[in-house]
Amino acid sequence: MSKRDYYETLEVSRDASASELKKAFKKKAMKFHPDRNPDNPEAAEKFKEAAEAYDVLSDPQKKSAYDQFGHSGVEGMGAGGPNFNDININDIFGDIFGDVFGTRSRSRRQRGSDLQYNLDLSLKDAVLGVKRKIKIPSHKKCSDCLGSGAEKGTGPTSCSNCGGSGQVRMQQGFFSIQQTCSACSGTGQVIKSRCNSCKGVGAIKENKTLSVDIPAGVDNGDKVRLSGEGEWMKGGRSGDLYVAIRVKDNPLFERDGRHLYIEAPIPIDVSILGGSIKIPTLEKTISLKIPSNTQTGKVFRIKGEGASIVRDRRRGDILCRVIVETPSNLDKAQLKALSELTKKLEASKNYPGTDIFLKAISKNKE
């Protein structure tokens, strides 16, 4: 049985934002969660289906693979969705009201934002894969305060306003609502004497060099995720860094998925008599055999010398379209010889394409 389209499962458009995806999943989860439908196996299956769809579409790397290749693109990437037994209905319900009233659990709040780094690659590096070093702004734990942000010899104290919880409870009509504590910004701690070195941040800015393994077959828009290399968050975990690929234009090749297209000129004598020409690939130069009587527009296929795609190392082909080149800057002797040859050719039927064209013109006049 084939799987339903993930966007159809969540009832969202293909350009839905992260918040729209989250909202759509919560709606499905509230309706079909097994805790609300204990004797309904169909509801459990629908919940599992929605969880799988959200698991893929909420992950930029999985979503990119799914948008390009469908379900086959995310096979082996953990696209089975979370176990519904691990998703508590109260967590979902609380998270919905958290979105409405601004309440967030400390574990969700204490995470840095994801960042993006744009990396330009040549066509060759994109197709064959490459290892690159990149420099990014980062943070290093302050050696004076050991990351606490407090002056050396002191330490943070529990926030008296929220009792160290990071949140305060407020009453709004019938609802009792939790909000982030304004005194400690949700950390649960306050610093009376800040560290002079880091000014209470707990870390010092620095440039960091990372080594990025770019897999073979990447294309424009593909992203490589570096976990924990995103925005730093004091008291929490860092976000992720996404290396976005931008493939530079190549002067010879145009890429279409697995295949590379190239146009090559051939001398007029080779087109008539046959011969061979040199053709570049991404890795070497090869000899391409040209049969006699080859006309402009003829396409030759060079198997296995094209591109691969991510998660599939099989190479496509190079498709070479030849263009017959007429000689230029001829001297008098060459022009005389060409004139004599032309007169002889005009008396024979050596231009079948012209004959067909002229017949079509005559027929069109009728």
Side-chain angles (χ1 to χ4, degrees), residues 222-268:
D222 287 345
K223 295 180 180 179
V224 177
R225 181 172 63 180
L226 301 181
S227 181
E229 298 295 351
E231 184 182 57
W232 176 81
M233 174 64 71
K234 182 182 178 182
R237 61 190 183 93
S238 298
D240 297 334
L241 175 67
Y242 287 89
V243 180
I245 303 302
R246 298 190 303 197
V247 183
K248 294 183 287 188
D249 290 338
N250 186 280
L252 292 175
F253 294 105
E254 286 190 14
R255 180 180 180 181
D256 184 9
R258 294 177 181 273
H259 301 313
L260 299 177
Y261 293 83
I262 187 173
E263 286 190 346
I266 60 173
I268 192 169

Coordinates of all heavy atoms in Angstrom, one line a residue, residues 222-268:
D222 N 20.5 22.4 -1.5 CA 20.7 21.3 -0.6 C 21.4 21.9 0.7 O 22.2 22.9 0.6 CB 21.6 20.2 -1.2 CG 20.8 19.4 -2.2 OD1 19.6 19.5 -2.2 OD2 21.4 18.6 -3.0
K223 N 21.2 21.3 1.8 CA 21.8 21.7 3.1 C 22.4 20.6 3.8 O 21.9 19.5 3.8 CB 20.7 22.4 3.9 CG 20.1 23.7 3.3 CD 19.1 24.3 4.2 CE 18.5 25.6 3.6 NZ 17.5 26.2 4.5
V224 N 23.6 20.9 4.5 CA 24.2 20.0 5.3 C 24.1 20.5 6.7 O 24.5 21.6 7.0 CB 25.7 19.8 4.9 CG1 26.4 18.9 5.9 CG2 25.9 19.3 3.5
R225 N 23.6 19.7 7.7 CA 23.4 20.1 9.0 C 24.6 19.8 9.9 O 25.0 18.6 9.9 CB 22.1 19.5 9.6 CG 21.8 20.0 11.1 CD 20.5 19.5 11.6 NE 20.4 18.1 11.6 CZ 19.3 17.4 12.0 NH1 18.2 18.1 12.4 NH2 19.3 16.1 12.1
L226 N 25.1 20.8 10.7 CA 26.1 20.6 11.7 C 25.4 20.8 13.0 O 25.2 21.9 13.4 CB 27.3 21.5 11.5 CG 28.0 21.4 10.1 CD1 29.1 22.4 10.0 CD2 28.5 20.0 9.9
S227 N 25.2 19.7 13.7 CA 24.4 19.7 15.0 C 25.2 20.5 16.0 O 26.4 20.2 16.2 CB 24.1 18.3 15.4 OG 23.4 18.3 16.6
G228 N 24.6 21.4 16.7 CA 25.2 22.1 17.9 C 26.1 23.2 17.5 O 26.8 23.8 18.4
E229 N 26.2 23.5 16.2 CA 27.1 24.6 15.8 C 26.4 25.9 15.4 O 27.0 26.8 14.8 CB 27.9 24.1 14.5 CG 28.8 22.9 14.8 CD 29.9 23.2 15.8 OE1 30.1 24.4 16.1 OE2 30.6 22.2 16.2
G230 N 25.1 26.0 15.9 CA 24.4 27.2 15.6 C 24.5 28.2 16.7 O 25.6 28.3 17.4
E231 N 23.5 29.0 17.0 CA 23.6 30.1 18.0 C 23.8 29.5 19.4 O 23.1 28.6 19.8 CB 22.3 31.0 17.9 CG 22.4 32.2 18.8 CD 21.1 33.0 18.8 OE1 20.0 32.4 19.1 OE2 21.2 34.2 18.5
W232 N 24.7 30.1 20.1 CA 25.0 29.7 21.5 C 23.9 30.2 22.4 O 23.4 31.3 22.2 CB 26.4 30.2 21.9 CG 26.8 29.9 23.3 CD1 27.3 28.8 23.8 CD2 26.6 30.8 24.4 NE1 27.5 28.9 25.1 CE2 27.1 30.1 25.6 CE3 26.2 32.1 24.6 CZ2 27.2 30.7 26.8 CZ3 26.2 32.7 25.8 CH2 26.7 32.0 26.9
M233 N 23.6 29.3 23.4 CA 22.6 29.7 24.4 C 23.1 29.4 25.8 O 23.5 28.3 26.1 CB 21.3 28.9 24.1 CG 20.2 29.2 25.2 SD 19.6 30.9 25.3 CE 18.7 31.0 23.7
K234 N 23.2 30.5 26.6 CA 23.7 30.3 28.0 C 22.7 29.5 28.7 O 21.5 29.7 28.7 CB 23.8 31.7 28.6 CG 24.3 31.6 30.1 CD 24.4 33.0 30.6 CE 24.8 33.0 32.1 NZ 24.9 34.3 32.7
G235 N 23.2 28.5 29.4 CA 22.4 27.6 30.3 C 21.6 26.6 29.5 O 20.8 25.8 30.0
G236 N 21.8 26.5 28.2 CA 21.0 25.6 27.3 C 22.0 25.0 26.3 O 23.2 25.0 26.4
R237 N 21.4 24.5 25.2 CA 22.2 23.9 24.2 C 22.1 24.8 22.9 O 21.2 25.6 22.7 CB 21.7 22.5 23.8 CG 20.3 22.4 23.3 CD 19.8 21.0 23.2 NE 18.5 20.8 22.6 CZ 18.2 20.6 21.4 NH1 19.2 20.6 20.5 NH2 17.0 20.5 20.9
S238 N 23.2 24.7 22.2 CA 23.3 25.6 21.0 C 22.3 25.0 19.9 O 22.0 23.9 19.9 CB 24.7 25.6 20.4 OG 25.6 26.1 21.4
G239 N 22.0 25.9 19.0 CA 21.2 25.5 17.8 C 22.1 24.8 16.8 O 23.2 24.5 17.1
D240 N 21.5 24.5 15.6 CA 22.3 23.8 14.6 C 22.7 24.8 13.5 O 22.1 25.9 13.3 CB 21.4 22.7 14.0 CG 21.0 21.6 15.0 OD1 21.8 21.5 15.9 OD2 20.0 21.0 14.8
L241 N 23.7 24.4 12.8 CA 24.2 25.2 11.7 C 23.9 24.5 10.4 O 24.2 23.3 10.2 CB 25.7 25.5 11.7 CG 26.4 26.2 10.6 CD1 25.9 27.6 10.5 CD2 27.9 26.2 10.7
Y242 N 23.2 25.2 9.4 CA 22.9 24.6 8.1 C 23.8 25.2 7.1 O 23.8 26.4 6.9 CB 21.4 24.8 7.8 CG 20.5 23.9 8.6 CD1 20.0 24.4 9.9 CD2 20.1 22.7 8.2 CE1 19.2 23.6 10.6 CE2 19.3 21.9 9.0 CZ 18.8 22.3 10.2 OH 18.0 21.5 11.0
V243 N 24.6 24.4 6.4 CA 25.4 24.8 5.3 C 24.6 24.7 4.0 O 24.4 23.5 3.6 CB 26.7 24.0 5.3 CG1 27.6 24.5 4.1 CG2 27.5 24.1 6.6
A244 N 24.2 25.8 3.5 CA 23.4 25.8 2.3 C 24.3 25.8 1.0 O 25.2 26.7 0.9 CB 22.5 27.0 2.3
I245 N 24.1 24.9 0.1 CA 24.9 24.8 -1.1 C 24.4 25.7 -2.2 O 23.2 25.8 -2.5 CB 24.9 23.3 -1.6 CG1 25.4 22.4 -0.4 CG2 25.8 23.2 -2.8 CD1 26.7 22.7 0.1
R246 N 25.4 26.4 -2.8 CA 25.1 27.2 -4.0 C 26.2 26.8 -5.1 O 27.4 27.0 -4.9 CB 25.2 28.7 -3.7 CG 24.2 29.2 -2.7 CD 24.2 30.7 -2.6 NE 25.5 31.3 -2.3 CZ 25.6 32.6 -1.8 NH1 24.5 33.3 -1.7 NH2 26.8 33.0 -1.6
V247 N 25.7 26.1 -6.1 CA 26.6 25.6 -7.2 C 26.9 26.7 -8.2 O 25.9 27.2 -8.8 CB 26.1 24.4 -7.9 CG1 27.1 23.8 -8.9 CG2 25.8 23.3 -6.8
K248 N 28.1 27.1 -8.4 CA 28.5 28.1 -9.4 C 28.2 27.6 -10.8 O 28.4 26.4 -11.1 CB 29.9 28.6 -9.2 CG 30.2 29.2 -7.9 CD 31.6 29.7 -7.7 CE 32.6 28.5 -7.5 NZ 33.9 29.0 -7.2
D249 N 28.0 28.6 -11.7 CA 27.8 28.2 -13.1 C 29.1 27.7 -13.7 O 30.2 28.2 -13.4 CB 27.3 29.5 -13.9 CG 25.9 29.9 -13.6 OD1 25.2 29.0 -13.1 OD2 25.6 31.1 -13.8
N250 N 29.0 26.7 -14.6 CA 30.1 26.1 -15.2 C 30.2 26.6 -16.7 O 29.1 26.6 -17.4 CB 30.0 24.6 -15.2 CG 31.3 23.9 -15.7 OD1 31.4 23.8 -16.9 ND2 32.2 23.5 -14.8
P251 N 31.3 27.0 -17.2 CA 31.4 27.5 -18.6 C 31.1 26.5 -19.7 O 30.8 26.8 -20.8 CB 32.8 28.0 -18.7 CG 33.6 27.3 -17.7 CD 32.6 27.0 -16.5
L252 N 31.2 25.2 -19.3 CA 31.1 24.1 -20.3 C 29.8 23.3 -20.2 O 29.1 23.0 -21.1 CB 32.3 23.2 -20.3 CG 33.6 23.7 -20.8 CD1 34.7 22.7 -20.5 CD2 33.6 24.1 -22.2
F253 N 29.5 23.0 -18.9 CA 28.4 22.1 -18.6 C 27.1 22.7 -18.1 O 27.2 23.7 -17.3 CB 28.8 21.0 -17.7 CG 29.9 20.1 -18.2 CD1 31.2 20.2 -17.7 CD2 29.6 19.1 -19.1 CE1 32.2 19.4 -18.2 CE2 30.6 18.2 -19.6 CZ 31.9 18.4 -19.1
E254 N 26.0 22.2 -18.4 CA 24.7 22.5 -17.7 C 24.2 21.2 -17.1 O 24.3 20.1 -17.7 CB 23.7 23.0 -18.7 CG 24.0 24.4 -19.2 CD 22.8 25.0 -19.9 OE1 21.7 24.4 -19.9 OE2 23.0 26.1 -20.6
R255 N 23.8 21.3 -15.9 CA 23.4 20.1 -15.2 C 21.8 20.0 -15.1 O 21.1 21.0 -14.9 CB 23.9 20.1 -13.7 CG 23.5 18.9 -12.9 CD 24.1 19.1 -11.5 NE 23.8 17.9 -10.7 CZ 24.1 17.8 -9.4 NH1 24.9 18.7 -8.8 NH2 23.8 16.7 -8.7
D256 N 21.3 18.8 -15.3 CA 19.9 18.5 -15.1 C 19.8 17.2 -14.4 O 19.8 16.1 -15.0 CB 19.2 18.4 -16.5 CG 17.7 18.2 -16.3 OD1 17.2 18.3 -15.2 OD2 17.0 18.0 -17.3
G257 N 19.7 17.2 -13.1 CA 19.7 16.0 -12.3 C 21.0 15.2 -12.4 O 22.1 15.7 -12.0
R258 N 20.9 14.0 -12.9 CA 22.1 13.2 -13.1 C 22.9 13.5 -14.3 O 24.0 13.0 -14.4 CB 21.6 11.7 -13.1 CG 21.0 11.1 -11.9 CD 20.6 9.7 -12.2 NE 20.0 9.1 -11.0 CZ 20.6 8.5 -10.0 NH1 21.9 8.4 -10.1 NH2 19.9 8.0 -9.0
H259 N 22.3 14.2 -15.3 CA 22.9 14.3 -16.6 C 23.6 15.7 -16.7 O 23.1 16.7 -16.2 CB 21.9 14.1 -17.7 CG 21.3 12.8 -17.7 ND1 22.0 11.6 -17.5 CD2 20.0 12.4 -17.8 CE1 21.2 10.6 -17.6 NE2 19.9 11.0 -17.7
L260 N 24.7 15.7 -17.5 CA 25.4 17.0 -17.8 C 25.3 17.2 -19.4 O 25.5 16.2 -20.1 CB 26.9 16.9 -17.4 CG 27.2 16.7 -15.9 CD1 28.7 16.5 -15.7 CD2 26.6 17.8 -15.1
Y261 N 25.0 18.4 -19.7 CA 24.9 18.7 -21.2 C 26.0 19.7 -21.6 O 26.4 20.6 -20.9 CB 23.5 19.4 -21.4 CG 22.4 18.5 -21.2 CD1 21.9 18.3 -19.9 CD2 21.8 17.8 -22.3 CE1 20.8 17.4 -19.7 CE2 20.7 16.9 -22.1 CZ 20.2 16.8 -20.8 OH 19.2 15.9 -20.6
I262 N 26.6 19.4 -22.8 CA 27.7 20.2 -23.3 C 27.5 20.3 -24.8 O 27.0 19.4 -25.5 CB 29.0 19.6 -23.0 CG1 30.2 20.5 -23.4 CG2 29.2 18.2 -23.6 CD1 31.5 20.0 -22.9
E263 N 27.9 21.5 -25.4 CA 27.9 21.7 -26.8 C 29.4 21.7 -27.3 O 30.2 22.4 -26.7 CB 27.2 22.9 -27.3 CG 25.7 22.8 -27.2 CD 25.0 24.0 -27.8 OE1 25.7 25.0 -28.1 OE2 23.8 23.9 -28.0
A264 N 29.7 21.0 -28.4 CA 31.1 20.9 -28.8 C 31.2 21.2 -30.3 O 30.4 20.6 -31.1 CB 31.7 19.6 -28.5
P265 N 32.1 22.1 -30.8 CA 32.3 22.3 -32.2 C 33.1 21.2 -32.9 O 34.0 20.6 -32.2 CB 33.0 23.6 -32.3 CG 33.8 23.6 -31.0 CD 33.0 22.9 -30.0
I266 N 32.7 20.8 -34.1 CA 33.5 19.9 -34.9 C 33.9 20.5 -36.2 O 33.1 21.2 -36.8 CB 32.8 18.5 -35.0 CG1 31.5 18.7 -35.8 CG2 32.5 17.8 -33.7 CD1 30.8 17.4 -36.2
P267 N 35.1 20.3 -36.7 CA 35.5 20.9 -38.0 C 34.7 20.3 -39.1 O 34.2 19.1 -39.0 CB 37.0 20.4 -38.1 CG 37.4 20.1 -36.7 CD 36.2 19.6 -36.0
I268 N 34.5 21.0 -40.2 CA 33.6 20.6 -41.2 C 34.1 19.3 -41.9 O 33.4 18.5 -42.3 CB 33.4 21.7 -42.3 CG1 32.3 21.4 -43.3 CG2 34.7 22.1 -43.0 CD1 31.9 22.6 -44.1

